[in-house]
Amino acid sequence: MPKYLTLTDYAQITGSAPIKRQTHGWRAKCLQRLVRLDMPVPQTIALSFAVVREIATGAQMNLRHLLGHFPKGQLLSVRPSAEHPQWGGPAAILNIGMNDEKHAEIAAAYGEPVATALYLRFVQSYAAHVAHLDPDMFDATEPCLPALQAALRDYEAETEEPFPQSPAQQLADVLRSMARAWEGTSARLLRQAKGAPLDAGLGLVVQAMAGGIGAGESGAGLIRFIDAETGMPQVTGRFKSRGVHGQEAMKNGADVLYLTRDKRGPSLEERCPEAFAELLRHGEFARRRLREEMEIEFTLDDGNLWVLDAVTVQRSSRASVRVAVDLANDGIIERDEALMRIQPKALSDLLHRQVDARTKTELFVRGIAASPGAAIGRVVFSSTAAQACASRDEPCILVRRETTPEDIRGMHSAQAVLTERGGMTSHAAVIGRGLGVPCVVGASGMQIDERRKTVHAAGRTLSEGDMLTVDGTNGVVLIGEVPLLEPALDDRFTTLLDWADARCDIGIRANADTPADARIARGFKAQGIGLCRTEHMFFEDDRLTLMREMIFADTSEDRKDSLERLLPMQRADFIDLFEIMQGQPVCIRLFDPPLHEFLPHSREGMRFLADALDKPLSEITRRAEALSEFNPMLGMRGVRLGVTIPEIYEMQARAIFEATVEVSRRATPIAPEIMIPLVSAMREVELIKSRIDAVAATVRSRMGVDFDYRIGVMVETPRAALRAGDIALHASFLSFGTNDLTQMTYGLSRDDAGRFMSDYVQQGVFPEDPFHTLDLDGVGELLQLGAARGRKAREDLTLSICGEHGGNPESIRFCRELGFDYVSCSPFRVPVARLAAAQLVIEELG
């Protein structure tokens, strides 16, 4: 049995092993399919992974047997055929067999320029990729006879032997060089970075050259039948005339033809209408039989068409969605297969504007891609400046060392955010994803000078007002204005997600803090709000002043007075949320952050606050210092505020219940979910629950309306997970906040870990950034224990996850396995979660 298979003779080779991607590679398998579809494929032989490995170790091939499959004097090409096209491979070598004798033969038939161009290209390729000589030595500007003669002399001078004239030796050297190149260290590391296993094999495809050098219309081209950026049906590609006709065309500056009729110049459709029509038929046939949009590499030889190769069109995310949906609508693939063809994370590209990859750009700085999308704007260094730009309808980029809750208004006003510090769950990252604002964090290669209002990186200094483009999808910041592609939320996108919903078996909610967030979530068909962080509602100017009054109040009555004035605003927020969600569940987290976050940090801000509160500056400064903490994330925040300053939670509970009554009177009755943050002890839940129940009783009595509500706990501390059985006795639901839970489990600051996390991942300390990908071994075990103990204590306990991991496919898989009821994620990640959840179901059914 031969170790290589002639594709065109495959069916006649008795007892030969079949060609498979796993043994011969994707290109060999694709060519075999084209042959079976009766396309005009030149004689082709596929060498298996095993044969190529033997060649790499110096084993001798029976080249006489291999060459015997081709006519004598036939020029050949050798192309790589790895198992997956993305794994790459050595460069293809064309025109093997060109020598002095073949040059004279072609020159006699088609002219010396044609022969010389073929020979010179082969010498250049052979010298660079087989003999490993400096390619610059053979980089002739014009394919003329003196250039060819010089290249042959240079080859002999460098190798101390003439250029090989034997086709068998040329082929053997090419095969050996390509086989060994695959085994090289650089090639191995490169393909492993693309996901290839350590033992990935390489196949080689030896194919007769359909030279495209005839006297009639001859040449080589590439045709695709869709626009690679949009996925719309459109014939694109190129065709370059060669041979005698091509030489004449080059004299007239028209050697490259358009494929379809075009006012700008001659086209293949006009010159060779029969060949062009045949290409269209092959494209449609390949689409239906190979169930993909293919691009076809072809040649014409005296007007006769040859198909050299056909590969899947490399396309954008938006094109991939359109192609998958269209193939399913045309009955070529099933809907489930269409769903499985789209990477969930690729949907993010469709939700936001993106940098046009075809554009040349200038890098300013790199960081962590924290919130996808791209935006252009002028550099500003403060929230105040961002708001001023917004008032003038000027787009801006907010550049900060790191953001705090005080920057919320500026982030709302900016088109994008760039920070020097932070990681995937830093304040800027979390809020950026929630707002759908592109964000790059942890850009440690830049230095900000707030006094001079400049930012320096990569030898460039930008001042406030200079233009930047932030690419939050790829984590890069570019100088100036870069062309952007608009979002693609078209009917194909909607159709794909409707198909996903039909398969999804876990709830998908959104983290939404404002009415604007809720509208986005509703538009993306979230099944409710799984986390509403109420503190973000207090940073508007009128509310911030009242919050500060409350913080500086000396007595409980004074605090209640300030909170009483905040109550109508908070109630209005909840009314908006309930009405937007139209009866879907809304889970409201009670106030969480430490109070010092609502105080100004500058001396100027302190003076302004002293004037606003009519208090001495010394008292303002003294109180601010008293509220500061050594470790605020582990200090007076969350439920601890609710226990020690109960007036805050009582006001919020009243606002929730009054909004519930108001909306239920006008629309669908609702049952709000109230979540207590940062719990670590059962007694904390008992205390807060009793106070909320008391407020509910008061509102029911005063308004004369009954209503339902649920009280639950946000599990963010390891102790809460471990004591979930006790806590569940007083809670209707447990929602795991994996941002803080990861932080506390690891003992890492989520805002500072970005400084060293890449080193940790590269050196194998952590397999992935635990703030980006849920740690199933450590944090995951706490989720598993908490879920099991909670459900054991209370069978009807609702379980969910509402941290930033909630939108990751890996986290959704884990939550489904644990029997969670829903996941909640940023509004712009809801489509990603919907598709990921559907794919998990399809996998199980498969």
Side-chain angles (χ1 to χ4, degrees):
M1 181 197 331
K3 293 183 179 179
Y4 43 83
L5 305 176
T6 306
L7 295 180
T8 49
D9 292 340
Y10 166 74
Q12 288 76 39
I13 297 179
T14 303
S16 61
I19 292 178
K20 298 179 180 178
R21 284 180 64 127
Q22 297 83 356
T23 57
H24 291 76
W26 69 272
R27 176 170 272 122
K29 186 61 182 177
C30 183
L31 283 169
Q32 185 190 57
R33 288 171 175 163
L34 299 181
V35 170
R36 289 176 170 176
L37 295 179
D38 292 327
M39 290 191 186
V41 178
Q43 183 73 19
T44 306
I45 295 177
L47 277 61
S48 69
F49 298 168
V51 170
V52 175
R53 288 194 182 99
E54 289 181 15
I55 294 173
T57 59
Q60 295 298 314
M61 287 193 64
N62 185 353
L63 289 179
R64 181 176 299 175
H65 181 78
L66 191 152
L67 289 173
H69 286 279
F70 302 99
K72 185 177 180 181
Q74 173 69 58
L75 297 182
L76 303 174
S77 67
V78 179
R79 302 169 189 265
S81 181
E83 184 173 343
H84 196 287
Q86 289 187 352
W87 297 352
I93 306 293
L94 309 181
N95 298 315
I96 300 165
M98 274 302 296
N99 52 23
D100 294 346
E101 181 182 348
K102 193 68 176 177
H103 177 268
E105 177 187 326
I106 295 175
Y110 303 112
E112 178 270 322
V114 174
T116 296
L118 290 175
Y119 199 0
L120 179 59
R121 282 197 294 268
F122 176 55
V123 172
Q124 292 169 331
S125 178
Y126 192 96
H129 300 295
V130 180
H132 303 293
L133 303 180
D134 184 356
D136 291 341
M137 294 179 57
F138 302 88
D139 187 19
T141 55
E142 292 292 335
C144 56
L145 191 58
L148 171 61
Q149 293 168 341
L152 292 171
R153 286 195 303 270
D154 289 341
Y155 182 92
E156 184 170 356
E158 288 295 312
T159 62
E160 299 182 351
E161 57 185 27
F163 188 81
Q165 296 294 302
S166 165
Q169 180 187 344
Q170 292 176 0
L171 179 58
D173 290 345
V174 167
L175 294 174
R176 189 178 304 111
S177 174
M178 294 177 74
R180 290 176 175 172
W182 179 259
E183 301 295 339
T185 302
S186 297
R188 186 174 65 254
L189 292 175
L190 183 60
R191 64 177 176 266
Q192 284 177 325
K194 297 177 180 178
L198 287 171
D199 60 349
L202 176 72
L204 292 174
V205 169
V206 183
Q207 189 176 69
M209 291 288 295
I213 56 174
E217 187 61 62
S218 301
L222 179 75
I223 185 171
R224 61 179 70 93
F225 308 94
I226 62 166
D227 184 285
E229 192 59 48
T230 66
M232 295 285 288
Q234 181 181 351
V235 175
T236 62
R238 63 180 184 276
F239 179 77
K240 186 168 185 178
S241 290
R242 292 201 298 233
V244 176
H245 198 295
Q247 297 302 315
E248 292 299 320
M250 281 191 286
K251 293 177 183 178
N252 299 322
D255 60 317
V256 178
L257 304 184
Y258 295 98
L259 292 181
T260 57
R261 298 176 187 273
D262 197 296
K263 295 178 180 179
R264 293 171 292 179
S267 70
L268 183 65
E269 183 179 11
E270 293 169 305
R271 285 207 182 156
C272 292
E274 292 182 1
F276 181 77
E278 189 177 355
L279 279 170
L280 296 183
R281 287 195 298 272
H282 288 323
E284 179 59 25
F285 196 46
R287 178 178 185 264
R288 291 195 169 274
R289 293 293 298 275
L290 301 182
R291 306 182 316 127
E292 252 295 3
E293 289 289 355
M294 310 295 289
E295 63 180 36
I296 296 176
E297 184 181 349
F298 67 94
T299 62
L300 290 183
D301 198 21
D302 281 335
N304 296 313
L305 176 67
W306 291 97
V307 173
L308 306 184
D309 206 354
V311 299
T312 302
V313 176
Q314 295 297 306
R315 48 189 179 256
S316 68
S317 297
R318 65 184 66 199
S320 295
V321 169
R322 172 175 283 274
V323 167
V325 172
D326 285 351
L327 288 173
N329 283 335
D330 290 344
I332 296 173
I333 63 176
E334 297 293 330
R335 289 181 178 183
D336 282 357
E337 184 174 347
L339 290 169
M340 295 302 291
R341 287 191 177 192
I342 307 300
Q343 289 290 328
K345 294 179 181 178
L347 291 187
S348 294
D349 296 345
L350 279 67
L351 306 178
H352 311 273
R353 294 198 296 171
Q354 302 290 334
V355 168
D356 190 337
R358 299 166 293 189
T359 305
K360 187 176 181 180
T361 59
E362 181 182 356
L363 179 69
F364 180 60
V365 72
R366 292 185 184 274
I368 298 170
S371 181
I376 302 168
R378 299 188 181 280
V379 173
V380 297
F381 295 97
S382 69
S383 289
T384 302
Q387 292 174 83
C389 283
S391 68
R392 299 190 298 267
D393 291 326
E394 292 180 359
C396 67
I397 307 296
L398 180 60
V399 180
R400 303 283 287 162
R401 285 197 174 88
E402 56 188 337
T403 62
T404 67
E406 196 174 357
D407 292 310
I408 290 289
R409 288 169 292 167
M411 295 178 72
H412 270 282
S413 302
Q415 269 58 52
V417 178
L418 169 63
T419 68
E420 179 183 341
R421 302 170 185 165
M424 283 300 295
T425 54
S426 63
H427 179 269
V430 172
I431 301 305
R433 287 191 290 272
L435 297 175
V437 171
C439 182
V440 174
V441 301
S444 55
M446 69 179 190
Q447 299 84 43
I448 299 172
D449 188 331
E450 293 186 358
R451 186 174 61 84
R452 291 189 175 90
K453 294 186 178 181
T454 60
V455 57
H456 180 83
R460 293 286 300 269
T461 298
L462 301 181
S463 301
E464 190 161 75
D466 288 341
M467 298 298 294
L468 275 182
T469 299
V470 172
D471 182 355
T473 301
N474 297 302
V476 296
V477 182
L478 308 169
I479 298 289
E481 300 183 54
V482 175
L484 303 181
L485 299 174
E486 293 301 316
L489 306 181
D490 56 14
D491 59 333
R492 302 313 197 279
F493 173 84
T494 303
T495 297
L496 186 80
L497 289 178
D498 286 344
W499 294 347
D501 290 342
R503 283 297 192 194
C504 189
D505 63 357
I506 187 172
I508 309 293
R509 296 196 196 179
N511 300 340
D513 305 333
T514 66
D517 296 341
R519 290 188 187 94
I520 294 170
R522 185 75 181 170
F524 289 142
K525 295 187 178 180
Q527 297 168 327
I529 294 176
L531 172 63
C532 173
R533 291 164 287 218
T534 54
E535 59 270 12
H536 294 157
M537 300 173 174
F538 293 112
F539 283 96
E540 297 298 329
D541 287 333
D542 53 347
R543 306 180 187 201
L544 187 58
T545 300
L546 291 173
M547 276 297 296
R548 288 170 171 173
E549 280 187 15
M550 187 275 296
I551 292 170
F552 281 87
D554 295 317
T555 66
S556 174
E557 291 304 316
D558 289 342
R559 281 195 295 272
K560 287 182 178 179
D561 181 65
S562 298
L563 291 167
E564 188 70 25
R565 284 180 285 162
L566 274 171
L567 175 68
M569 305 175 189
Q570 183 91 114
R571 182 175 58 229
D573 292 329
F574 296 141
I575 288 173
D576 283 345
L577 287 180
F578 294 153
E579 288 183 336
I580 291 168
M581 298 313 294
Q582 299 177 13
Q584 289 191 324
V586 176
C587 183
I588 299 169
R589 185 182 73 180
L590 298 174
F591 191 88
D592 179 57
L595 295 178
H596 74 84
E597 289 190 358
F598 292 86
L599 301 182
H601 302 290
S602 65
R603 187 75 175 175
E604 180 183 355
M606 291 290 186
R607 282 197 295 267
F608 178 84
L609 181 57
D611 290 339
L613 300 182
D614 194 23
K615 292 180 179 291
L617 178 60
S618 58
E619 181 180 340
I620 298 295
T621 304
R622 185 169 58 253
R623 183 70 65 88
E625 291 174 351
L627 287 172
S628 65
E629 298 175 293
F630 288 109
N631 194 337
M633 295 305 295
L634 299 178
M636 181 69 78
R637 53 171 286 224
V639 69
R640 298 155 197 169
L641 283 169
V643 170
T644 57
I645 311 176
E647 298 89 354
I648 299 175
Y649 281 8
E650 289 172 357
M651 180 276 289
Q652 289 192 302
R654 180 181 163 192
I656 292 170
F657 295 140
E658 290 180 356
T660 298
V661 171
E662 179 69 23
V663 174
S664 297
R665 283 173 172 168
R666 301 199 306 256
T668 305
I670 58 171
E673 300 171 358
I674 301 174
M675 186 155 63
I676 307 171
L678 212 71
V679 166
S680 57
M682 178 181 68
R683 180 59 178 161
E684 291 172 323
V685 183
E686 287 181 317
L687 289 170
I688 301 302
K689 185 177 185 301
S690 64
R691 290 168 183 164
I692 293 174
D693 289 342
V695 173
T698 300
V699 173
R700 282 181 177 131
S701 175
R702 180 168 52 82
M703 302 187 76
V705 177
D706 195 13
F707 51 84
D708 293 324
Y709 62 94
R710 303 172 71 211
I711 295 177
V713 166
M714 191 169 182
V715 180
E716 304 168 86
T717 68
R719 192 177 193 280
L722 295 172
R723 304 306 301 169
D726 296 339
I727 291 171
L729 296 175
H730 304 280
S732 299
F733 63 89
L734 299 180
S735 188
F736 290 82
T738 53
N739 297 353
D740 270 345
L741 187 58
T742 298
Q743 180 171 240
M744 295 188 188
T745 301
Y746 274 84
L748 288 173
S749 165
R750 68 188 190 191
D751 294 306
D752 299 318
R755 299 183 185 183
F756 59 84
M757 189 56 67
S758 60
D759 291 333
Y760 262 51
V761 172
Q762 288 175 7
Q763 298 183 49
V765 180
F766 302 148
E768 298 285 349
D769 182 343
F771 293 110
H772 187 230
T773 302
L774 182 64
D775 165 32
L776 302 183
D777 297 329
V779 180
E781 186 173 0
L782 287 173
L783 265 67
Q784 188 174 14
L785 288 171
R789 293 175 181 180
R791 282 262 170 87
K792 184 177 180 180
R794 183 169 182 166
E795 291 184 0
D796 64 343
L797 184 71
T798 298
L799 296 173
S800 67
I801 180 175
C802 62
E804 280 300 300
H805 299 98
N808 293 344
E810 305 86 358
S811 305
I812 296 173
R813 180 188 299 274
F814 188 65
C815 290
R816 286 183 72 249
E817 291 172 353
L818 295 183
F820 277 38
D821 296 280
Y822 68 86
V823 299
S824 188
C825 55
S826 301
F828 282 93
R829 302 187 78 187
V830 167
V832 176
R834 289 164 64 193
L835 178 57
Q839 289 181 345
L840 293 172
V841 175
I842 295 170
E843 282 181 14
E844 291 181 357
L845 294 173

